[in-house]
Amino acid sequence: MTLTATTPFHIPAALPHAAPGDREWLLDCHCAGPVVELLKARGWEVISDPYANVHCTSPDQRVYVGFLPETKEAASHGELWHIQVKDTDGEVAWTQTFGSNVPAQAVAGFLAALIAFPSRHCACV
């Protein structure tokens, strides 16, 4: 089996930021702010409920993002973030959860990558 890259990968001549030992890694943002800001800026519907949970839906209604600190899943399993993607028939295609220790900026990065690829088809298939 041979793998062929569709886009050449270039190693940067210099790191764009401080060397790994000199930087501060994301460790402490556990609010919904970075995710909500990202999604609102892209036209997603964002609703807060009376229990401090935040529910976000993509403009096409096929992606749901929930910040659910006040649910039994968060309390018992530490699942703070719930992401659900539906196929064109409305069936759940896949889900992803992130625990309460995952910084909100990392969840926002995951969602930004998801949004950046508008086609469901992978070039390697």
Side-chain angles (χ1 to χ4, degrees):
M1 175 175 177
T2 303
L3 295 177
T4 306
T6 57
T7 304
F9 177 74
H10 300 286
I11 299 172
L15 293 173
H17 302 289
D22 296 336
R23 65 171 291 155
E24 293 185 31
W25 294 98
L26 298 174
L27 297 174
D28 60 356
C29 181
H30 305 292
C31 69
V35 171
V36 168
E37 290 171 17
L38 169 77
L39 299 180
K40 275 186 175 180
R42 285 164 177 75
W44 289 46
E45 181 179 2
V46 177
I47 298 171
S48 297
D49 68 23
Y51 306 104
N53 298 307
V54 179
H55 308 274
C56 309
T57 309
S58 64
D60 66 0
Q61 304 293 306
R62 291 185 48 207
V63 182
Y64 166 80
V65 176
F67 174 75
L68 309 171
E70 299 301 325
T71 62
K72 66 179 180 175
E73 291 85 358
S76 61
H77 302 294
E79 297 173 352
L80 182 61
W81 293 95
H82 291 252
I83 300 167
Q84 185 178 76
V85 178
K86 295 179 181 178
D87 62 21
T88 54
D89 296 329
E91 298 295 320
V92 176
W94 59 271
T95 62
Q96 177 65 49
T97 61
F98 291 98
S100 57
N101 291 331
V102 177
Q105 297 98 324
V107 177
F110 175 86
L111 291 166
L114 177 66
I115 293 167
F117 290 92
S119 173
R120 65 177 249 172
H121 300 287
C122 181
C124 65
V125 176

